[in-house]
């Protein structure tokens, strides 16, 4: 599932699972027939047919790790029947020995089936929890496109719902009395605690963006929000977390102001000027302001009318191909100079899927901010100051 450019809301998209694919019946049957044949031939050659047949009892145990309950049950029945037939054809020295082998085979095969049932049930529960968490996150994040007087925002958000729990990537674009304010953040860690922190920061941004006249005020509010959330986390036995974030404000003029709290720097897409925005060294992440005595500085940069700004989380920059190389975002950005803003996010998504062979290991969040050439607000835009006067 993903939050897409579709204004109607989230859209479904298949994701390849990070878990190993379940065994096919062709593989299972090949193992049963192949291993049985190998043991039979080896037994004939070594004149130990009966002695080797009981080794089949371990085949259902192997299949139980990745197979279905039905596949494990078929393998268990096969192994039991082959062992029984071998003992009937060439019994061991005493009836007690034959009975012991059969009881051991039946018991171990039964345990293999039970283990498969528990594994399948546990995987189902984990999948439901992951899907519920991802669905909750998609409901909190507004679908693209997002529109203000100065900006049109496109992008995507794809949580990884396999292998590890979804993470805490969030974004927002808000029309305020002080201009358009945008925000993208990535919470340390994964799972429901990370999502809880992300929601806390997101709510604080939505409030502070409207209430605080300066960008420093907005970031200070976010810092306090993370500290309060961490204080509560300590009381409940959870770990404290920090948040990397990039906060941006665009008003009149061709420049924008931003504060980078340990986040990935943005990229400007504007003809020959396309490339990483030179903002200098990033400040410390949210929640770690006590580690430095320096306040987080506001940086100004050129954001011309008609240009586009790309913001992302490390799910993009740290995506790896099968050889272990990182996705070359800085190189790829230069090839998107002529790509319409609304098509950049799908382009990045397709490239990431191809580059990683569909094995994305982290949540992917992209925020594509297109600077409008006309600065007058649209008629349907919400103006907080006007609403207050009413």
């Amino acid at each position: 599932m993903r939050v897409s450019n579709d204004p109607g809301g989230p859209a479904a998209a298949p994701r390849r699972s990070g878990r190993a694919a379940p065994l096919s019946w062709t593989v299972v049957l090949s193992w049963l027939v192949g291993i049985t044949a190998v043991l039979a031939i080896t037994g004939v050659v070594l004149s130990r047919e009966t002695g080797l047949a009981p080794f089949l009892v371990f085949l259902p145990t192997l299949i139980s790790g990745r197979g279905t309950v039905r596949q494990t049950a078929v393998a268990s029945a096969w192994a039991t029947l082959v062992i029984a037939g071998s003992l009937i054809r060439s019994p061991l020295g005493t009836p007690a020995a034959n009975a012991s082998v059969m009881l051991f085979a039946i018991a171990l095969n039964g345990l293999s089936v039970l283990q498969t049932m528990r594994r399948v049930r546990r995987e189902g529960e984990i999948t439901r929890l992951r899907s519920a968490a991802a669905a909750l996150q998609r409901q909190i994040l507004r679908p693209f496109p997002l529109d203000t007087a100065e900006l049109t925002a496109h992008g995507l958000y794809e949580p990884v719902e396999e292998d590890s729990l979804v993470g805490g990537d969030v974004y927002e674009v808000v029309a305020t009395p002080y201009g358009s304010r945008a925000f993208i953040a990535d919470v340390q860690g994964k799972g429901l605690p990370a999502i809880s922190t992300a929601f806390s920061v997101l709510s604080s941004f939505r409030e502070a963006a409207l209430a605080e006249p300066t960008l420093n005020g907005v970031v200070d509010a976010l810092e306090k929000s993370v500290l309060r959330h961490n204080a509560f986390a300590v009381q409940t036995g959870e770990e404290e977390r920090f948040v990397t974030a990039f906060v941006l404000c665009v008003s009149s003029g061709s420049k924008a102001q931003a504060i980078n709290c340990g986040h990935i720097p943005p990229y400007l897409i504007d003809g020959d000027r396309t490339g990483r925005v030179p903002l200098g060294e990033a400040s410390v992440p949210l929640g770690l302001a006590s580690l430095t005595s320096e306040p987080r500085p506001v940086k100004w940069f050129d954001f011309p009318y008609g240009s586009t700004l790309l913001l992302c989380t490390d799910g993009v920059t740290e995506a790896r191909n099968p050889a272990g190389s990182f996705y070359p975002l800085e190189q790829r950005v230069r090839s998107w100079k002529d790509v319409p803003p609304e098509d950049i996010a799908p382009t990045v998504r397709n490239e990431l899927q191809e580059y990683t062979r569909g094995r994305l290991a982290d949540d992917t969040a992209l925020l594509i901010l297109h600077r409008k050439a006309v600065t007058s607000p649209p008629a349907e835009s919400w103006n907080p100051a006007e609403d207050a006067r009413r």
Side-chain angles (χ1 to χ4, degrees), residues 4-5 143-148 151-155 171-173 182 341-342 367-370 372:
S4 70
N5 287 315
F144 295 109
L146 304 174
D147 193 67
T148 68
L151 300 172
T152 298
H154 302 277
Y171 63 82
E172 185 58 281
V173 179
E342 63 272 16
L367 194 56
I368 310 297
L369 303 176
H370 181 66
K372 293 181 178 179

Side-chain angles (χ1 to χ4, degrees), residues 275-300:
R276 180 181 294 189
V277 178
L279 295 176
E281 187 176 353
S283 301
V284 295
L286 298 173
L288 301 179
S290 60
L291 298 181
T292 178
S293 58
E294 298 294 329
R296 294 184 176 96
V298 177
K299 302 292 183 66
W300 290 83

Side-chain angles (χ1 to χ4, degrees), residues 285-365:
L286 298 173
L288 301 179
S290 60
L291 298 181
T292 178
S293 58
E294 298 294 329
R296 294 184 176 96
V298 177
K299 302 292 183 66
W300 290 83
F301 64 95
D302 290 330
F303 190 7
Y305 297 109
S307 64
T308 301
L309 202 67
L310 181 148
L311 306 174
C312 67
T313 58
D314 60 9
V316 177
T317 57
E318 296 184 3
R320 295 174 182 261
N321 62 13
S325 300
F326 290 113
Y327 176 68
L329 176 62
E330 189 162 3
Q331 299 175 18
R332 298 303 304 148
V333 165
R334 300 184 186 280
S335 67
W336 303 331
K337 294 185 291 186
D338 299 323
V339 177
E342 63 272 16
D343 293 336
I344 293 177
T347 298
V348 177
R349 179 183 182 276
N350 292 337
E351 288 195 7
L352 286 174
Q353 289 287 341
E354 181 178 356
Y355 189 79
T356 63
R357 303 295 191 269
R359 299 285 182 176
L360 292 173
D362 199 359
D363 292 4
T364 303

Side-chain angles (χ1 to χ4, degrees), residues 37 116 133 140 148 156 173 225 230 315 320 352:
T116 306
I140 297 297
T148 68
L156 65 84
V173 179
S225 173
N230 282 339
R320 295 174 182 261
L352 286 174

